[in-house]
Amino acid sequence: MSPVVELRNVTFVRDGRHILDDVSFAVEAGEHWALLGPNGAGKSTILGFCGALAHPTSGTVHVLDGQLGRTELQALRRSIGHVNPRHPVSSPLTALEVVLTGITGTIELAMRWEPTAAQVSAARGLLASLGLSAIEDARWPTLSQGERGRALIARALISEPRLLLLDEPSTGLDVAAREQLLETIDTLEQSHPEVASILVTHHLEDSRARRPTPCSSRTDASRPWAPCTR
């Protein structure tokens, strides 16, 4: 079986500056990786490649069953779940409605679209599995950062993705909320064993739940990031 994500000799140059140089790694189905590094190391750039949102300057990126530049990106994105703590909801959607936007891949509820009873049930089930049943009707602006983070995980999972990308999901959380969010992420191995995931962070402690076996890491000057896999 092909890897869910594979980067081969990837280089990325922006404004004449080499952000990434000769990066190669592969993520298999069911594996859980962390990309570790300081700000500006290129972690989010790599995540953009994995999410079929950006192209490298050179090298090849295979995501799911396609190669960037040779396949229709929108089709790939439908099988990728994203968790971004800066999710820009501007209207007072409920937590349940935000989860349902994961089906349409939109920020707001899609115009002239109504979820089926099965889809609403699935959204409620995901919220319940993440301990959020009590706030499914609460408006987004009233939720805590921790509640939003877990709701965004439910939103990412509603489309039954094969790949889950988490872009610094603990940003802005206090210690207790961060701990709860990391525990939630760790449970995904049991609840969604077939889903591969990649977590971006510059906090080593955020990747602790992904390290029951040794990590392989590369942290030299040209590769200031470290992939970790179990």
Side-chain angles (χ1 to χ4, degrees):
M1 183 179 294
S2 299
V4 174
V5 173
E6 184 175 14
L7 276 65
R8 298 177 186 167
N9 309 116
V10 164
T11 297
F12 184 70
V13 180
R14 180 188 292 134
D15 298 328
R17 177 178 171 236
H18 277 71
I19 306 299
L20 299 168
D21 186 24
D22 194 25
V23 174
S24 299
F25 67 88
V27 181
E28 305 289 344
E31 289 187 344
H32 305 286
W33 285 55
L35 294 178
L36 305 173
N39 290 331
K43 305 182 303 298
S44 292
T45 300
I46 291 175
L47 206 69
F49 301 152
C50 297
L53 297 173
H55 290 76
T57 303
S58 63
T60 60
V61 178
H62 294 263
V63 180
L64 303 176
D65 301 315
Q67 180 180 330
L68 298 194
R70 296 187 179 181
T71 191
E72 204 272 302
L73 296 183
Q74 200 60 41
L76 288 180
R77 293 169 187 158
R78 284 193 287 270
S79 295
I80 302 171
H82 291 261
V83 178
N84 183 347
R86 296 164 290 277
H87 189 66
V89 176
S90 59
S91 60
L93 298 179
T94 66
L96 180 64
E97 288 170 335
V98 169
V99 174
L100 288 168
T101 64
I103 297 172
T104 55
T106 55
I107 301 299
E108 307 289 342
L109 288 172
M111 295 180 63
R112 296 183 294 277
W113 176 79
E114 287 290 334
T116 66
Q119 288 169 332
V120 172
S121 178
R124 284 182 170 141
L126 283 168
L127 286 171
S129 71
L130 298 176
L132 297 175
S133 290
I135 57 95
E136 70 174 44
D137 293 322
R139 299 291 173 180
W140 194 253
T142 70
L143 301 182
S144 69
Q145 283 293 103
E147 289 168 338
R148 291 182 187 183
R150 286 182 286 153
L152 290 174
I153 292 174
R155 179 184 182 273
L157 293 173
I158 189 74
S159 60
E160 300 183 345
R162 294 169 56 193
L163 173 63
L164 182 64
L165 305 176
L166 304 106
D167 192 358
E168 301 194 50
S170 64
T171 296
L173 300 184
D174 59 28
V175 173
R178 172 185 283 183
E179 200 61 26
Q180 188 174 32
L181 182 68
L182 293 177
E183 288 175 1
T184 296
I185 293 172
D186 196 32
T187 66
L188 298 179
E189 183 181 5
Q190 288 76 43
S191 61
H192 296 77
E194 74 289 350
V195 177
S197 68
I198 302 174
L199 179 146
V200 161
T201 182
H202 53 269
H203 297 295
L204 182 61
E205 62 270 24
D206 285 4
S207 66
R208 60 167 175 71
R210 323 196 133 223
R211 297 185 297 120
T213 58
C215 300
S216 70
S217 62
R218 308 174 77 175
T219 54
D220 59 77
S222 65
R223 299 178 179 85
W225 50 272
C228 302
T229 181
R230 62 170 100 211

